[in-house]
Amino acid sequence: MKHGDLVNNKRRILVFEIVGLAFILLMLGFMFYTSVLCREEEIPLYEECHELSQRWALITEDGKTEDVELPCKHKAAPSTKVILEKRLPAYITADDYLSLRTINQNVNVYIDDELRYSFSQPDTLIKWANPVSRYLYVNISDADCNKIIRIEFIKNVGATRNFSRVYIGEKNSLIANYMRIQKSAIVFAVIFFLLGLICIVVGLSLRIATNGLIRVDYIGVAMFLAALWNTTKSDFRDMVFSNISNLHVIPLLCLMLLTIPLALYYNWLQKMRYTRFYQIVIAISLAHFVIWFLLVALGITNYENSLFSTGAILLLQGGGLVVTVIKDAKKKLLKDYLPVLAGLLLFVTSGFGQLAIKMMPEIGEEGTILCMGFALFTLTAYYHAIRMAVRLNSEKKAAYLAADVKSQFLATMSHEIRTPINAVLGMNEAILRESTEENILGYANDVDTAGKLLLSLINDILDFTKLESGKMTLVPTAYKLKGLVTFCVNMVNNRAKEKGLNLIVTVDKDTPSVYFGDETRIQQIITNLLTNAVKYTKRGEVELKVSCEKKSEDDGDLIISVRDTGRGIKEENREWLFKPFVRVEEHRNTKIEGTGLGLAITHKFVELMNGSIEVDSTFGKGSTFTVRLPQQIISWEPVGEISSTENKEHEERRKEENHFKAPGVKMLVVDDVQLNLKVVNSLLKKSEMEIDNATGGEECLEKTKTKKYDIILLDHMMPGKDGIQTLWDLRKDKENLNIDTPVVMMTANALNGAKEEYMGIGFSDYISKPFNLSDLQAVILKNLPKEEND
Ligand code: ADP
């Protein structure tokens, strides 16, 4: 991670913190304003409304009478009548209404003993012990002026009776008046509701964006439940919704369910350290929910009575949370979630605030303060989550950067190592060709084996890092199946022979012969599987089977399977086979060379080609690896017979190599490393070619000015003018004798697609270091002008 990025990140977090803090302060201010400064009494009455709250006579069933001012509370036995009585004023006009709010009581309104209005709990789905609260509007007119109004209240359960204020006025004015009084509650309800929804959306987005690492969406759900609780519980809901009886249940259900998202959130917050406890809370909450549903459905009780047990579960969860927080404090783990803890404290404080307010009948029990506290808690939870997301993001960037640096480093290293290996293998090949001494040839053979092993290791690491970083791309070309199979078989034939294994090649005669795909990578897949089969088989046979399954006119699946009679792979080890750097049965592998990369690379190549690979193995008996590769088919002409004896061709060619002669062919080799020049010269010693050397681009340009060459081998990375610049200068110079001479790029850059890139720049061909005589000879023969070639 660059320093600049870190500073930027810190700045972003700071801005974020300031905005968050400002928001919290704003919320606190709003809370203080609405609950302390802006009291109900201070809201002036709507013009066309009159309040009728003074001097009511409260008469109980036992005949006692007292003067009261509304709103007020009174204690009376359940199911008994409590009557409020008063003389109506003289200012009533036609079509006026008298309005009050019943608070959990049935109401009958009489004017001069005439029953004018009756409200009793409607017969609804959910039965209540007490009627729900509701705003009532009783039609009165100027004829009722100065008459006696008597309002009877009946409550079925509980001794405390609450009586609301009474208003007179036009209906619209009365509604407008209630709206004004409820203004803050309405605004709150809408804000909380929206906040709940936003929290869920943001929470889910964070969860998806971080692959489930951040799970603040739980608290989003809890916030939504709290908002729903507040909305469906507040006094203004009956101005909006009609079926209050059923609506009345919702806040209770919300409270019942609230413990579940909270438990899930706390569990995530405390990194699953106390999962068992939270699982118990969730189980109890669910059971509680189901039990209450059954009890209500069977008519045994009603939801109103669930408050006690719901409160007990909430307390249990709160208590448990305190214990886990103390435990975390002891383990010094609190700093992980300190802001959330601060939010929780605010929430608990708001709970006490709410309780205090509930004691005051004047202010009422909207639950707004509690909700505010919960909203603050939610905000701190989101603050914590977003901070975490910012941190995760920068860590991810740093990891990407580190991975990039790693793959760059590995690519450079493998390039750097290839150059000296080229020298070692090249010079060694010269020894193998020139020496006649038995013991020297023995040593040189060992150097050759070890060198090639080192080379394949470097190739594997390079391939793997490219595959890991997603930089590997396929380079499809047209290729012949016969060439592909022969090449792969040749790669393992000698080793199989040395071990006394029977190498069988079974190619379905009708398999199409020419395909379009990445031949090199398919070669690698087959060679890896064949090499493993030979490596891990002591006796018996190794069989390569190839066939093709037609899918359409142009496409088919190339099916390649490699079977051996080796040691097999245990069932439990199969899942590890394709993991990088894992060598299953490590103790048995000590004498078998390998890195555990072969199958990982094979698997990734197969994936890259949208193919599949399967393993079938019996421990102790052998294994079969089957690869299926979708390929484009260029020619459906059957391939015919291919057998392992094709190898002879290869041997013949090797014999020919020893006799490779090109007398008089003039070649210029350009490389800044002397040893590399020496390698080419030694390999071609017997070829009778006329070879000149140059150690840099400048020298190459000098030499080509005065002598016409038939072919030029040019290195890429050289101090001063590099290979590409040298080629361009050569092609630009109209006077140069070698303006048309084929120039072959000779480089240790073995990156995938490098050949195509160099040829695109203008090179005639490409040979990668290290190379042997056979590679060198092939490239020379291919690029010599026609008459020389003959
Ligand atoms: P390496 O051969 O370099 O260890 P691979 O990725 O090619 O790495 O293989 C991983 C492991 O799978 C090997 O170490 C070996 O234990 C097991 N394995 C692979 N091919 C075979 C096979 N044909 N028979 C038995 N075991 C095999």
Side-chain angles (χ1 to χ4, degrees), residues 146-159:
N146 298 318
K147 286 186 178 166
I148 298 287
I149 180 165
R150 186 155 54 89
I151 313 172
E152 283 178 9
F153 294 89
I154 302 136
K155 189 179 181 190
N156 306 331
V157 176

Side-chain angles (χ1 to χ4, degrees), residues 41-52:
E41 294 95 315
E42 287 159 28
I43 298 172
L45 204 55
Y46 202 73
E47 276 165 29
E48 284 94 52
C49 274
H50 304 275
E51 191 174 338
L52 204 69

Side-chain angles (χ1 to χ4, degrees), residues 532-533 535-536 564 567-569 577 582-584 589 594-599 623 625:
N532 275 351
K535 254 197 317 193
Y536 300 106
D564 63 54
R567 67 183 199 201
I569 303 148
L577 275 184
V582 177
R583 304 193 72 206
V584 298
N589 278 350
T595 50
L597 273 178
L599 284 181
S623 327
F625 285 79

Side-chain angles (χ1 to χ4, degrees), residues 647-756:
N647 188 37
K648 290 216 177 85
E649 248 178 47
H650 180 70
E651 277 166 10
E652 301 276 298
R653 217 174 61 222
R654 189 140 181 107
K655 269 187 214 144
E656 270 170 27
E657 275 168 18
N658 272 331
H659 301 119
F660 170 60
K661 295 227 172 1
V665 169
K666 295 180 197 70
M667 181 167 84
L668 177 66
V669 189
V670 189
D671 199 314
D672 59 312
V673 181
Q674 281 288 351
L675 216 54
N676 284 340
L677 293 172
K678 215 168 156 188
V679 168
V680 178
N681 283 279
S682 337
L683 286 176
L684 295 172
K685 202 169 176 181
K686 292 187 182 163
S687 69
E688 295 172 18
M689 288 167 73
E690 201 179 296
I691 304 173
D692 284 351
N693 297 319
T695 52
E698 296 293 351
E699 197 183 335
C700 164
L701 291 173
E702 275 309 308
K703 288 202 160 145
T704 46
K705 262 183 202 152
T706 50
K707 184 171 175 182
K708 167 86 177 118
Y709 291 101
D710 298 309
I711 184 165
I712 298 169
L713 297 186
L714 183 55
D715 181 27
H716 180 182
M717 308 283 217
M718 292 184 292
K721 245 184 201 129
D722 71 4
I724 297 173
Q725 190 60 46
T726 310
L727 176 78
W728 283 345
D729 288 356
L730 180 76
R731 297 290 189 231
K732 263 195 305 208
D733 185 3
K734 296 266 183 303
E735 307 286 294
N736 198 304
L737 293 174
N738 291 285
I739 191 161
D740 297 322
T741 307
V743 179
V744 176
M745 168 50 74
M746 172 184 68
T747 174
N749 176 5
L751 289 183
N752 184 31
K755 181 174 178 178
E756 287 69 21

